[in-house]
């Protein structure tokens, strides 16, 4: 089944889960699309089975809190950042709920965490104005970049380069093998003082970069030339909440939630809005991602919603 405007308009909430007592700050699909793991401000990690459509188990990180949760390539393992006590990144085995390794180094809150799509490398960006490069097999930082401002960062789909959005005004592209030589491309954008960049993502085809913000617009960039292709707005975000914007897996559509619980969808090429979906969320939709393998997506406030299409186009 192919994603079209009509299929997207037909999506409805199939299930709502109320496992959390505070907002879900992040979630991640496994690469096979079969499970989701979420992290919440209530210090819990909830694992969901996407095929059966139900929560499987809940783990807690009471002491350190949990944010920016990411699956690694090893089965049943995740990395996540702390939002209490310290700014260490933790590598957890879900199988026996034991820490495999800690990654200390950042001196302020970690705001970005991106796992390489091809190996055990990951990068983290922090309010301490650094990006650190790590390998899951070693607690030692493999690379350190001092920046001029707060970063958001992400690997490209090939895992060969990574992008850093710095100070909400420029995007720098680095070659992973020679990042210490500095960026091979820098794109300066017009600064918008009404909002800050809160996330950066590549489309699966590697051609586009999406910048999430805590304001009323997200930006779509040409990943090669740095030109702003579209600025998507018209969704409600009056309280400066960091709302996660996402691509659909085919790179054709952009989605974002809003503070009133609705989901807005645009065509990436034309920039036109194609759907407005009501998620019946009780608070701002802070997290939103499409399943990488199946025709379903998830959105979250303090509740988690699974969506399914109601037509077969």
């Amino acid at each position: 089944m192919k994603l079209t405007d009509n299929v997207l308009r037909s999506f409805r909430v199939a299930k709502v889960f109320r496992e959390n007592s505070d907002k879900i700050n992040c979630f991640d699909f496994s690469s096979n699309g079969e499970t989701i793991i979420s992290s919440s401000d209530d210090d819990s990690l909830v694992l969901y089975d996407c095929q059966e459509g139900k929560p499987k188990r809940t783990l807690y990180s009471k002491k350190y809190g949990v944010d920016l949760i990411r699956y690694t390539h090893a089965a049943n393992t995740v990395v996540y950042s702390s939002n209490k006590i310290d700014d260490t990144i933790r590598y957890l085995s879900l199988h026996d709920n034991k820490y495999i390794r800690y990654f200390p180094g950042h001196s302020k809150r970690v705001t970005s965490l991106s796992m390489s799509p091809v190996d055990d490398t990951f990068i983290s960006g922090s309010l301490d104005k650094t990006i650190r490069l790590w390998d899951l097999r070693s607690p030692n930082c493999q690379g350190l970049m001092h920046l001029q401002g707060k970063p958001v960062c992400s690997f490209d789909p090939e895992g060969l380069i990574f992008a850093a959005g710095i100070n909400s005004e420029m995007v720098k592209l680095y070659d992973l093998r020679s990042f210490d030589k500095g960026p091979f491309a820098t794109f300066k954008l017009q600064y918008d003082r009404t909002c800050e960049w809160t996330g950066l993502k590549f489309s699966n085809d590697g051609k586009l970069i999406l910048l999430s913000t805590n304001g009323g617009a997200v930006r779509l960039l040409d990943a090669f030339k740095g030109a702003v292709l579209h600025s998507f707005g018209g969704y409600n975000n009056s309280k400066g909440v960091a709302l996660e914007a996402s691509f659909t897996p085919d790179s054709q559509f952009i989605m974002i939630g809003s503070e009133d619980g609705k989901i807005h969808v645009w065509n990436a090429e034309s920039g036109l809005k194609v759907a407005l979906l009501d998620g019946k969320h009780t608070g701002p939709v802070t997290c939103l991602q499409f399943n990488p393998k199946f025709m379903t997506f998830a959105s979250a406030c303090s509740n988690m919603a699974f969506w399914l299409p109601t037509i077969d186009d």
Side-chain angles (χ1 to χ4, degrees):
M1 185 170 157
K2 195 166 168 288
L3 262 186
T4 63
D5 294 10
N6 282 338
V7 170
L8 275 163
R9 283 186 203 110
S10 82
F11 269 87
R12 299 292 180 268
V13 175
K15 285 208 164 161
V16 178
F17 306 101
R18 297 177 178 86
E19 303 296 304
N20 295 100
S21 58
D22 206 334
K23 82 160 188 187
I24 293 168
N25 52 40
C26 190
F27 65 70
D28 195 32
F29 281 100
S30 57
S31 56
N32 61 13
E34 291 173 8
T35 64
I36 281 188
I37 185 102
S38 69
S39 55
S40 165
D41 287 357
D42 65 12
D43 307 329
S44 71
L45 298 76
V46 183
L47 184 66
Y48 297 88
D49 185 316
C50 296
Q51 289 165 310
E52 293 184 23
K54 63 182 192 196
K56 287 214 295 196
R57 57 191 292 221
T58 301
L59 306 172
Y60 291 95
S61 179
K62 288 280 186 207
K63 187 174 175 185
Y64 303 107
V66 54
D67 201 349
L68 299 176
I69 195 151
R70 304 280 184 265
Y71 274 112
T72 71
H73 301 293
N76 277 325
T77 60
V78 292
V79 288
Y80 65 82
S81 66
S82 324
N83 53 18
K84 299 198 302 200
I85 297 199
D86 65 15
D87 303 289
T88 297
I89 296 163
R90 294 182 159 75
Y91 180 25
L92 178 73
S93 163
L94 301 174
H95 169 67
D96 50 7
N97 195 20
K98 290 204 166 64
Y99 291 118
I100 303 166
R101 200 159 279 117
Y102 302 106
F103 304 95
H106 284 299
S107 58
K108 288 186 176 169
R109 188 166 62 88
V110 175
T111 52
S112 244
L113 200 54
S114 177
M115 194 74 218
S116 163
V118 294
D119 61 21
D120 284 338
T121 312
F122 67 98
I123 51 174
S124 56
S126 160
L127 295 180
D128 64 16
K129 298 183 183 174
T130 66
I131 288 176
R132 287 176 179 263
L133 181 67
W134 310 88
D135 187 306
L136 282 173
R137 296 162 294 193
S138 165
N140 304 321
C141 178
Q142 307 292 304
L144 173 63
M145 284 186 300
H146 292 276
L147 306 163
Q148 298 305 305
K150 292 185 294 192
V152 287
C153 54
S154 177
F155 278 101
D156 81 319
E158 261 85 59
L160 297 172
I161 69 168
F162 62 89
I166 301 162
N167 244 11
S168 305
E169 60 182 350
M170 68 180 81
V171 175
K172 293 178 183 270
L173 302 182
Y174 296 86
D175 185 316
L176 189 62
R177 290 158 305 195
S178 56
F179 69 89
D180 47 339
K181 294 187 173 64
F184 64 84
T186 298
F187 310 136
K188 190 118 169 58
L189 276 66
Q190 196 171 349
Y191 184 61
D192 177 359
R193 71 179 63 131
T194 63
C195 64
E196 292 184 341
W197 298 352
T198 53
L200 182 154
K201 291 181 184 179
F202 280 88
S203 56
N204 275 348
D205 63 9
K207 295 176 181 172
L208 303 168
I209 290 174
L210 183 61
L211 291 164
S212 301
T213 72
N214 60 2
V218 292
R219 288 180 183 174
L220 186 67
L221 273 58
D222 179 311
F224 299 102
K225 302 192 183 88
V228 177
L229 302 173
H230 300 291
S231 191
F232 301 110
Y235 57 91
N236 292 338
N237 188 15
S238 62
K239 297 186 178 72
V241 178
L243 301 173
E244 180 181 25
S246 288
F247 290 100
T248 50
D250 60 9
S251 308
Q252 303 301 305
F253 299 95
I254 312 285
M255 314 174 71
I256 193 169
S258 62
E259 69 181 5
D260 56 11
K262 292 189 169 52
I263 312 289
H264 299 250
V265 188
W266 295 270
N267 182 298
E269 196 173 358
S270 70
L272 297 173
K273 188 171 285 189
V274 296
L276 177 60
L277 308 168
D278 189 356
K280 309 273 195 299
H281 280 286
T282 53
V285 183
T286 43
C287 305
L288 175 68
Q289 283 174 40
F290 215 95
N291 188 304
K293 292 284 187 274
F294 301 104
M295 190 57 77
T296 171
F297 70 87
S299 60
C301 53
S302 58
N303 301 335
M304 172 76 82
F306 285 5
W307 299 69
L308 289 170
T310 51
I311 59 164
D312 305 320
D313 202 7

